[in-house]
Amino acid sequence: MIGIVNGEDSYKLLKLLKHDSRPLRDVLADFDAAFPRSLRFPLCTSLYLILQDKIMLSPTERLVAFSILHQTYASHSPSANPFICFLVIAACDDGAEKFERAFIVQLLESSSGSAKEIFKQSASDYVQGFDPSMHTFPALDQLQQQYSNGAHSESYNCLFKDTKVKNVMPDPNVPSGCNKNSPEFDLLPGTKPKIGSGDRDETIAGLLSNISLEGLGPRWIRPRPPRLPIQDGELVWLIPDNNHELLWDYGMCADTSRGAAVRDLIAKAAKGPLVPAQQEKVLMELANDPKLVYHCGLTPMKLPDLVENNPLIAVEVLTKLINSPEIAEYFTVLVTMEMSLHSMEVVNRLTQAVKLPSEFLRSYISNCIASCENIKDKYMQNRLVRLVCVFLQSLIRNNHIDVKEILIEVQAFCINFSRIREAVGLFRLLKTMEG
């Protein structure tokens, strides 16, 4: 299994834990300086795995490790710390030393701004000066509600977790309850090495960089899936039948010159006005072959130029495209393009030729009104207002739009430009329709 961190980083981390005689704030500052932010979560995960087994670290090293786990995420809320649930459970572990539980409780309290003095002490000074009578140990429910409420619990629990064989075990040569770091357990000259002798840090670093500390679990049993019975109809795919009947494409050699001519004329029409003969040819070809409109080369991006230069051709093309799935894109371009006499002419002719969506007409009218209100030049503003009023009167008189849908907006437009005669006439028409 791939390790969590490499051997060099593991050695640096374990060396940092041994600084138990230095103030904790200095050790934490060294941790931040020694490791980039991208490595801090893998390193904290390594500490989390080591701390789960009480034989891996000395008591003071465990306090340093707990402070790193907590302070690495101290700038976030407690529930955002990925190891907060582990810290809360460790603070309520009856099998742990009381000074360790009290230390973790003070770490948790430092999240709210209190108990900051703990980081001025070293881990050794804290253990030596610990007084059990000065500390109380809150219940697990209280700590969970106060610090880990809203935090994610353990994300994954394997069914085989309890059956895993641990790959870290106590030294059989050290009796239970004895200090495994005592000199009496060191290797003496001329004697046979004990089972657990050797560099402990080297062993821990090797575990972190080569295998998982979560233990060796049983392998999943993956039986070979049963094979389904072969059906008679499936055998035909072993030797496919290739005796297919050929179909002739009658349009393969069809004359495409008409489509090419129309494409050329549409391209010219988007650049400038066509002469009457060219305009008549385009209209005639589109009338003779309605499907030719799908191959004429017009796109929504070219529509504004076609509307301004050849509005009659634009009307004919849009009429033929009315049932196309792309017609909504063309309508969107008509609404958002700059308002002009030709664009209103195109929309007016379209309302007479086909049934236009009411949403499109409302949006177009709103754009016309907004354009009139935003123009700064008074002469051009008066001219556009007259055009819009004539356009709206045509739509209303021919029942191409429901007056109730635009009544309030158009009335406000007429009142705003009441100095213009056409706006007064439109207002009177609205009042007549309303009555």
Side-chain angles (χ1 to χ4, degrees):
M1 181 180 292
I2 300 176
I4 300 173
V5 291
N6 60 41
E8 182 181 354
D9 291 330
S10 300
Y11 275 113
K12 288 170 62 178
L13 179 63
L14 293 173
K15 185 178 179 180
L16 199 63
L17 298 182
K18 292 184 178 299
H19 295 172
D20 53 3
S21 60
R22 298 179 58 200
L24 289 172
R25 62 184 178 187
D26 294 344
V27 178
L28 293 171
D30 290 347
F31 177 82
D32 293 338
F35 301 105
R37 187 176 298 273
S38 59
L39 269 182
R40 291 175 190 174
F41 178 76
L43 290 169
C44 287
T45 303
S46 301
L47 292 179
Y48 160 73
L49 294 174
I50 295 174
L51 287 168
Q52 292 189 62
D53 201 310
K54 295 182 175 63
I55 67 174
M56 301 283 282
L57 299 174
S58 67
T60 55
E61 290 174 346
R62 287 178 62 84
L63 297 190
V64 176
F66 277 120
S67 63
I68 292 176
L69 271 188
H70 182 269
Q71 289 302 111
T72 301
Y73 299 92
S75 59
H76 303 78
S77 63
S79 60
N81 188 331
F83 305 99
I84 189 64
C85 294
F86 170 69
L87 291 172
V88 168
I89 293 175
C92 301
D93 184 6
D94 293 331
E97 297 288 346
K98 288 188 176 182
F99 63 81
E100 180 177 300
R101 294 177 59 190
F103 181 81
I104 300 173
V105 170
Q106 287 183 272
L107 283 178
L108 295 174
E109 291 175 350
S110 70
S111 302
S112 58
S114 59
K116 290 289 186 179
E117 298 295 323
I118 187 176
F119 299 111
K120 297 180 181 179
Q121 296 180 271
S122 66
S124 299
D125 291 342
Y126 184 87
V127 174
Q128 293 173 3
F130 177 73
D131 184 1
S133 62
M134 301 289 293
H135 297 273
T136 58
F137 301 98
L140 177 61
D141 294 342
Q142 179 183 346
L143 290 179
Q144 286 178 333
Q145 183 177 4
Q146 187 173 358
Y147 298 107
S148 62
N149 187 24
H152 295 287
S153 57
E154 191 172 358
S155 58
Y156 175 67
N157 281 320
C158 177
L159 296 176
F160 293 155
K161 184 174 181 180
D162 295 335
T163 62
K164 287 181 179 180
V165 177
K166 299 196 68 174
N167 47 25
V168 177
M169 58 188 65
D171 188 344
N173 293 309
V174 179
S176 177
C178 294
N179 182 10
K180 56 183 176 295
N181 296 317
S182 175
E184 64 180 293
F185 297 109
D186 291 342
L187 181 63
L188 299 176
T191 59
K192 183 179 179 181
K194 300 177 182 179
I195 295 177
S197 63
D199 190 338
R200 185 182 55 148
D201 291 347
E202 181 181 358
T203 303
I204 297 176
L207 288 172
L208 291 176
S209 58
N210 295 303
I211 63 174
S212 168
L213 288 174
E214 292 185 347
L216 306 174
R219 298 183 61 183
W220 287 91
I221 299 176
R222 296 178 174 87
R224 181 179 297 175
R227 191 170 62 179
L228 296 174
I230 300 175
Q231 305 294 326
D232 293 338
E234 294 176 335
L235 297 177
V236 68
W237 298 108
L238 297 177
I239 307 176
D241 183 11
N242 292 324
N243 297 325
H244 301 297
E245 181 183 356
L246 297 177
L247 297 178
W248 184 258
D249 183 6
Y250 293 98
M252 184 170 55
C253 298
D255 182 15
T256 58
S257 59
R258 289 191 309 156
V262 171
R263 280 195 298 273
D264 292 340
L265 289 175
I266 289 292
K268 292 180 180 179
K271 297 177 181 179
L274 297 181
V275 298
Q278 293 175 327
Q279 191 177 75
E280 187 64 29
K281 181 175 178 58
V282 174
L283 296 178
M284 183 180 65
E285 293 293 349
L286 292 177
N288 293 336
D289 187 3
K291 294 185 179 179
L292 194 61
V293 73
Y294 297 103
H295 312 287
C296 68
L298 180 67
T299 62
M301 297 297 294
K302 299 178 182 178
L303 181 62
D305 294 331
L306 184 63
V307 168
E308 292 301 326
N309 294 310
N310 292 275
L312 293 181
I313 295 179
V315 171
E316 188 66 22
V317 171
L318 292 174
T319 303
K320 295 291 188 294
L321 288 171
I322 195 65
N323 294 320
S324 169
E326 292 83 17
I327 190 62
E329 298 181 31
Y330 290 94
F331 284 157
T332 301
V333 171
L334 271 179
V335 170
T336 56
M337 69 177 287
E338 187 177 353
M339 189 197 70
S340 65
L341 172 62
H342 285 169
S343 70
M344 284 190 285
E345 179 185 355
V346 168
V347 175
N348 193 30
R349 288 180 178 270
L350 281 175
T351 58
Q352 299 173 11
V354 295
K355 177 68 175 177
L356 294 178
S358 57
E359 294 85 1
F360 161 70
L361 285 176
R362 287 199 302 271
S363 298
Y364 185 78
I365 291 171
S366 298
N367 182 51
C368 290
I369 292 175
S371 299
C372 292
E373 293 173 347
N374 294 333
I375 193 168
K376 302 300 182 183
D377 187 279
K378 286 294 182 182
Y379 172 77
M380 289 301 299
Q381 186 182 58
N382 293 343
R383 184 171 179 271
L384 286 178
V385 169
R386 291 189 180 95
L387 291 175
V388 172
C389 290
V390 173
F391 169 69
L392 291 175
Q393 288 184 40
S394 175
L395 291 181
I396 294 171
R397 286 197 173 96
N398 294 316
N399 294 322
H400 292 317
I401 190 168
D402 188 358
V403 178
K404 296 179 181 178
E405 296 179 354
I406 61 170
L407 182 62
I408 297 176
E409 186 176 12
V410 175
Q411 279 185 343
F413 169 73
C414 294
I415 294 172
N416 191 25
F417 296 100
S418 58
R419 67 180 183 277
I420 299 174
R421 182 178 58 186
E422 286 78 5
V424 176
L426 177 59
F427 186 80
R428 289 173 180 170
L429 177 61
L430 291 174
K431 285 299 182 180
T432 303
M433 301 292 294
E434 189 178 2

